[in-house]
Amino acid sequence: MGLVHWPVVDRLNKQVATNITNLDIHDIARAGRVFGVERYYLIHPMREQQMFVHRVLDHWRTGRGAQFNPMRKTALTDVYTADTLSVALKEWNELCGAEALCIATSARDEMENPILSFKTLRARLQEQPGQPLFLIFGTGFGLHKDVYKAVHGVLEPIRGASSEDYRHLSVRSAVSICLDRLLGTW
Ligand code: SAM
């Protein structure tokens, strides 16, 4: 899966890049590890932002953090950085030896894309276990429209039970819910 920091939008729907946060590195890696996600890419074109990720990873993988909390070392094993979504995808496709099904997520109804229900995608993954998947999450106020143009489909938004249909989850919550709905053993 990939967490996109560029291109995303701000509250005025302008294209921006967002900063990578420590919380997103750790919490999403841990969720990925629980559900057997093979690679988690933090996607940001700026070198300084990627260096921040690698400083955090080095601390927990080989530095004092590795002795302090070996479980965190395990959780961070499969975290990678990439300059762009297409670079991450190319790398993932090459590793899989096949084109991954590339699916974006959104809290909103993204009308121009084919929408996949959780049920449909879960069934497809179960019926075709060899089918590689690349699941994309946004930051800021969500993924830029260029990302939606580049994917095969969009997952239906997670809906809860609020009377006003409030859907705006933190990306960390959204990742955990999506992974459980798609890959959980319930
Ligand atoms: N800084 C913010 C945070 O984490 O609180 C980032 C918000 S960002 C818009 C949240 C991302 O999580 C979205 O781009 C989408 O990938 C996912 N997301 C949030 N709510 C969702 C929902 N109801 N259904 C599906 N995906 C959702």
Side-chain angles (χ1 to χ4, degrees):
M1 62 189 173
L3 180 63
V4 173
H5 289 83
W6 179 89
V8 291
V9 293
D10 67 8
R11 68 191 173 84
L12 301 173
N13 208 30
K14 252 182 57 193
Q15 182 176 316
V16 290
T18 53
N19 283 342
I20 293 176
T21 73
N22 193 38
L23 270 181
D24 287 344
I25 302 173
H26 285 267
D27 291 0
I28 294 176
R30 290 165 73 178
R33 187 73 190 180
V34 168
F35 288 97
V37 171
E38 288 173 49
R39 284 191 166 223
Y40 163 36
Y41 285 95
L42 288 133
I43 298 166
H44 204 304
M46 280 179 65
R47 201 160 165 265
E48 289 77 5
Q49 285 289 301
Q50 293 192 20
M51 281 166 60
F52 164 65
V53 177
H54 289 288
R55 263 204 316 279
V56 172
L57 294 179
D58 286 348
H59 173 76
W60 291 102
R61 283 172 174 171
T62 56
R64 290 189 59 187
Q67 281 130 41
F68 174 73
N69 186 351
M71 269 204 299
R72 190 57 60 90
K73 179 180 170 180
T74 307
L76 293 172
T77 311
D78 307 311
V79 181
Y80 297 83
T81 56
D83 291 354
T84 61
L85 177 60
S86 54
V87 167
L89 255 173
K90 185 169 178 280
E91 207 170 282
W92 180 234
N93 286 342
E94 279 170 9
L95 266 168
C96 296
E99 192 189 0
L101 185 63
C102 194
I103 304 293
T105 57
S106 176
R108 294 183 294 265
D109 298 294
E110 299 294 338
M111 302 307 268
E112 282 167 36
N113 284 87
I115 303 291
L116 270 99
S117 69
F118 282 100
K119 205 172 162 187
T120 305
L121 185 55
R122 183 179 169 89
R124 183 154 174 193
L125 296 174
Q126 286 173 345
E127 282 156 19
Q128 302 168 20
Q131 166 66 61
L133 174 69
F134 197 99
L135 210 50
I136 303 169
F137 295 89
T139 57
F141 277 66
L143 295 164
H144 186 265
K145 61 177 169 24
D146 287 354
V147 174
Y148 291 109
K149 282 185 198 153
V151 298
H152 296 116
V154 179
L155 256 181
E156 65 175 314
I158 299 160
R159 286 192 171 80
S162 78
S163 53
E164 75 276 42
D165 195 21
Y166 183 85
R167 304 182 202 163
H168 298 281
L169 294 159
S170 77
V171 67
R172 296 166 299 285
S173 296
V175 168
S176 294
I177 294 170
C178 287
L179 293 181
D180 189 44
R181 287 187 180 183
L182 295 173
L183 303 168
T185 54
W186 46 269

